[in-house]
Amino acid sequence: MPTTKAPWSRLHLGLLRRRTRSTHWPTLDLRRRPTHRSTSTFGYTQSQALVYSHNGEPADVLSLHTYSIPPAHSTNLTLRFLASPINPSDINQIQGVYPTQPPLTSALGTAVPSAVAGNEGVAEVVSTGSAVQHLQPGDWVIPRRPCFGTWRTYATASSEEDLFRLDVDDRPTITPVQAGCVAVNPCTAYKLLRDFVTLDADRGDWFVQNGANSAAGRAAIQFGRLWGLKSINVVRTRAGLEELKRELYKLGATVVVTEEDLLDARSFGEKVAEWTNGGREKIRLGLNCVGGKTATAMARLLADDGCLVTYGAMSRQPVVFPAALAIFRNIRFEGFWLSRWSETERGAVEKKRVVGEILELMSRGEFVVGDVREVRWREGDGDGAGMGSQVDVDRLKREVQGTLQGFRGGKAVFVFQ
């Protein structure tokens, strides 16, 4: 009589294959296993997503939509999102003032063609089609390119080529929030410090940045500490300023000042001379995500042959480029956009390497994602009819809208439950 085998699911087999790839048996981290999956009788997965059909303020145009995802087949993969941050660029995209826009589609089953918001996040592979070769259930992945639509509970990826697998098997301390926030701001800070000038810790090189309390700014401070670089970090005056300064010093900032300090040219110049050993240590790089007067003031601090890199414009004020700095001191004004870098084949390969390096630093406790405010998104919060309860929709929309408003207690990250 033939023996009867236990009905192993694809997820169980994926876990077994993952373990046999290693020479040791790691402890299973239950935080990484889906605790619930909304499925129908025919194997369709129910997903909730924040969608919009036209540009505008998030509070006005976002809605919570429930739709069905068919079972994975061929090259497709079904993903369950774990954590997705809310970045300023996500808001700008919804407003219609960002260079890239996600395509509007009818595939979501909305009344009019719509797009899912969100560009960054980490998801777990739930199931794969028969043609998928390099990913398996249980793997953690991040989108390779922007406009994937990460503010949703479940998604379909059309190909594994659209995803990066995160090597978290041997890093059990990595959390979904850490993995979900690794691809944008830390990578931006890494590239800003590495690509535009050669900074040498042995000769005492400095960099100066505004928006130092932003996620990218905090990442730059930490890389500076790890690489032996000194930094001048400019923040806006606010309630709780001294506490903020202590936070940045703890991350590794050399000096933290306000915009008012920076713009007091005579007094600030004297302080800079004192900090830089009478000017013998050079400020060779400026990082600008604000614009306006502070950007110009930072450019004036740079040594000859220095570079001011603009990667954001939070104040929406133009950057004034004094001709004398270019003509007589050979100071360069450059720009950096992470999306353009990561969309090239060479950039994609490099980004995967950089992400892996940052995850390793995180696993050793040498790099943190910064001040984070978790926004819980519970499966089944909606009424199942295409819209969630009004209370829940408003809560999610408030978190999105508030990202660009005033001083907030940490970076908002959707955590899916």
Side-chain angles (χ1 to χ4, degrees):
M1 179 179 295
T3 58
T4 302
K5 295 184 179 180
W8 287 88
S9 70
R10 182 180 291 273
L11 181 56
H12 292 135
L13 290 172
L15 289 171
L16 182 60
R17 287 199 303 271
R18 169 181 285 182
R19 286 185 170 184
T20 57
R21 284 201 299 241
S22 172
T23 58
H24 66 282
W25 285 66
T27 301
L28 183 62
D29 186 350
L30 295 179
R31 294 173 303 169
R32 296 183 182 172
R33 303 274 66 80
T35 57
H36 174 72
R37 182 180 174 193
S38 301
T39 56
S40 69
T41 305
F42 300 101
Y44 281 69
T45 299
Q46 299 301 303
S47 179
Q48 284 185 334
L50 279 174
V51 303
Y52 60 102
S53 59
H54 59 278
N55 295 123
E57 291 301 318
D60 299 327
V61 301
L62 285 178
S63 63
L64 189 64
H65 176 67
T66 301
Y67 66 104
S68 297
I69 294 175
H73 64 282
S74 185
T75 62
N76 291 355
L77 305 93
T78 300
L79 311 177
R80 171 184 178 261
F81 271 96
L82 305 175
S84 300
I86 304 173
N87 290 312
S89 57
D90 298 326
I91 313 304
N92 295 152
Q93 198 171 64
I94 296 169
Q95 293 169 329
V97 296
Y98 201 68
T100 58
Q101 293 289 316
L104 301 180
T105 177
S106 299
L108 301 172
T110 49
V112 294
S114 301
V116 179
N119 292 277
E120 184 183 22
V122 62
E124 182 176 34
V125 176
V126 174
S127 60
T128 63
S130 59
V132 175
Q133 298 180 354
H134 304 294
L135 292 174
Q136 60 190 26
D139 284 345
W140 282 16
V141 294
I142 60 174
R144 180 174 176 173
R145 298 179 179 86
C147 299
F148 187 89
T150 59
W151 295 354
R152 51 179 152 182
T153 55
Y154 290 89
T156 295
S158 59
S159 168
E160 58 188 325
E161 298 301 319
D162 297 333
L163 306 167
F164 285 141
R165 179 182 180 273
L166 299 183
D167 296 321
V168 296
D169 292 355
D170 298 325
R171 298 169 180 148
T173 59
I174 296 295
T175 68
V177 169
Q178 288 176 311
C181 294
V182 73
V184 173
N185 293 299
C187 286
T188 295
Y190 188 105
K191 293 290 290 180
L192 291 172
L193 291 176
R194 288 296 202 198
D195 283 13
F196 293 90
V197 297
T198 300
L199 297 173
D200 188 342
D202 292 336
R203 66 186 178 192
D205 283 353
W206 290 68
F207 68 92
V208 57
Q209 64 169 342
N210 55 25
N213 60 303
S214 67
R218 289 171 183 255
I221 289 172
Q222 294 179 83
F223 288 133
R225 183 198 74 237
L226 291 167
W227 300 336
L229 306 173
K230 301 176 183 179
S231 60
I232 299 173
N233 301 277
V234 184
V235 299
R236 289 182 291 171
T237 301
R238 69 194 66 203
L241 176 62
E242 293 306 314
E243 180 181 354
L244 172 61
K245 287 184 176 182
R246 285 192 293 269
E247 290 177 10
L248 300 186
Y249 281 126
K250 186 176 180 180
L251 291 176
T254 310
V255 177
V256 182
V257 299
T258 65
E259 291 181 344
E260 290 79 8
D261 295 330
L262 173 67
L263 296 175
D264 185 357
R266 178 176 297 180
S267 173
F268 196 70
E270 294 173 354
K271 293 176 182 177
V272 170
E274 180 181 346
W275 297 329
T276 60
N277 193 19
R280 286 183 284 276
E281 297 172 355
K282 305 299 183 182
I283 305 173
R284 302 185 185 276
L285 178 66
L287 308 180
N288 168 48
C289 68
V290 176
K293 294 180 180 179
T294 64
T296 306
M298 290 195 306
R300 296 186 188 279
L301 297 176
L302 298 178
D304 290 0
D305 303 315
C307 181
L308 182 77
V309 186
T310 294
Y311 67 99
M314 295 299 293
S315 72
R316 299 192 178 182
Q317 298 297 314
V319 177
V320 178
F321 185 2
L325 297 183
I327 296 171
F328 303 118
R329 297 176 53 196
N330 197 36
I331 290 175
R332 294 178 291 118
F333 280 56
E334 301 269 7
F336 177 74
W337 186 26
L338 184 75
S339 296
R340 175 169 292 175
W341 164 64
S342 59
E343 282 180 349
T344 66
E345 189 62 35
R346 178 179 178 181
V349 172
E350 185 183 8
K351 183 175 181 178
K352 186 174 183 179
R353 178 188 63 79
V354 171
V355 165
E357 185 175 334
I358 297 169
L359 285 174
E360 180 60 26
L361 293 172
M362 287 180 175
S363 71
R364 299 202 303 256
E366 298 177 11
F367 186 96
V368 297
V369 295
D371 193 11
V372 169
R373 187 178 69 262
E374 296 186 4
V375 181
R376 301 291 173 174
W377 184 327
R378 293 174 296 277
E379 273 192 79
D381 273 353
D383 61 10
M387 286 289 292
S389 68
Q390 192 61 40
V391 173
D392 190 67
V393 175
D394 289 344
R395 177 176 63 86
L396 299 180
K397 289 163 65 174
R398 279 198 305 271
E399 291 292 347
V400 175
Q401 187 71 46
T403 295
L404 296 182
Q405 295 176 348
F407 307 113
R408 296 173 63 81
K411 182 182 186 63
V413 180
F414 289 127
V415 178
F416 302 94
Q417 298 178 313

